Amino acid sequence: PFDAATGFSQRPLSSIPAFVGVRPGGFWYRVLASFIDDILTSGAVLFLIVVFVDVSVIGYFSDPLVTSFAADLISWASLLYAPVLLGIWSTTVGKRALNMYVLKVDGSPVGFWRALGREVTKRLMALPFGLTFWFVAFREDKRALHDLIAGTVVVQQ
């Protein structure tokens, strides 16, 4: 049936094989998992900056070259974090802490390339007012726009 709130048709939960025996990962659980992952990636990037740039850099980020390098490092690390972990374990550290996994609609593992496409779509769709995330709050299956495009679901055990 068509969902007026999101403008997309929704399949009943029972018709999505990945949801057999589990429930969709809800909005606030996904927010918390994302927060945990953001803290981890920020810490890892800070560590990389200290190791590869210079310990003294932490005191003065006013140097444009250092700032540019740090921004590039943060972008790449945060972009690849989720796809690598989803490709290996179907979860990130934050999602795992909340017993959530990202699967294809048929219940099979996502894989790196689909996870990368999902992550890029998530970032692009987040730009206009966090558009992709509003879907989670209003859809019965709790699928964000990037999940619909990538053919994925977030399940919680």
Side-chain angles (χ1 to χ4, degrees), residues 11-153:
R11 293 168 50 185
L13 291 181
S14 60
S15 72
I16 299 176
F19 287 135
V20 174
V22 293
R23 64 181 186 270
F27 180 79
W28 291 113
Y29 285 102
R30 289 175 73 165
V31 167
L32 181 57
S34 181
F35 180 72
I36 293 168
D37 289 332
D38 288 346
I39 288 173
L40 288 173
T41 55
S42 298
V45 167
L46 183 61
F47 174 77
L48 291 173
I49 290 171
V50 168
V51 169
F52 291 111
V53 179
D54 186 358
V55 176
S56 63
V57 166
I58 304 304
Y60 50 95
F61 269 121
S62 58
D63 182 352
L65 181 61
V66 171
T67 304
S68 175
F69 176 77
D72 288 345
L73 197 58
I74 291 167
S75 294
W76 281 105
S78 65
L79 176 66
L80 294 176
Y81 169 79
V84 168
L85 292 182
L86 292 177
I88 297 170
W89 296 308
S90 296
T91 191
T92 62
V93 174
K95 283 182 175 58
R96 179 65 187 115
L98 300 169
N99 288 325
M100 294 192 302
Y101 297 87
V102 179
L103 303 171
K104 290 197 277 185
V105 175
D106 66 6
S108 63
V110 175
F112 174 78
W113 293 108
R114 184 178 300 262
L116 181 61
R118 179 182 182 270
E119 186 67 20
V120 169
T121 303
K122 179 169 79 172
R123 289 167 185 253
L124 290 174
M125 294 295 143
L127 294 177
F129 311 109
L131 176 67
T132 187
F133 305 108
W134 286 103
F135 281 57
V136 178
F138 296 108
R139 291 179 57 91
E140 179 187 10
D141 61 6
K142 304 299 180 194
R143 293 174 71 197
L145 182 56
H146 57 274
D147 289 317
L148 293 169
I149 292 169
T152 59
V153 295

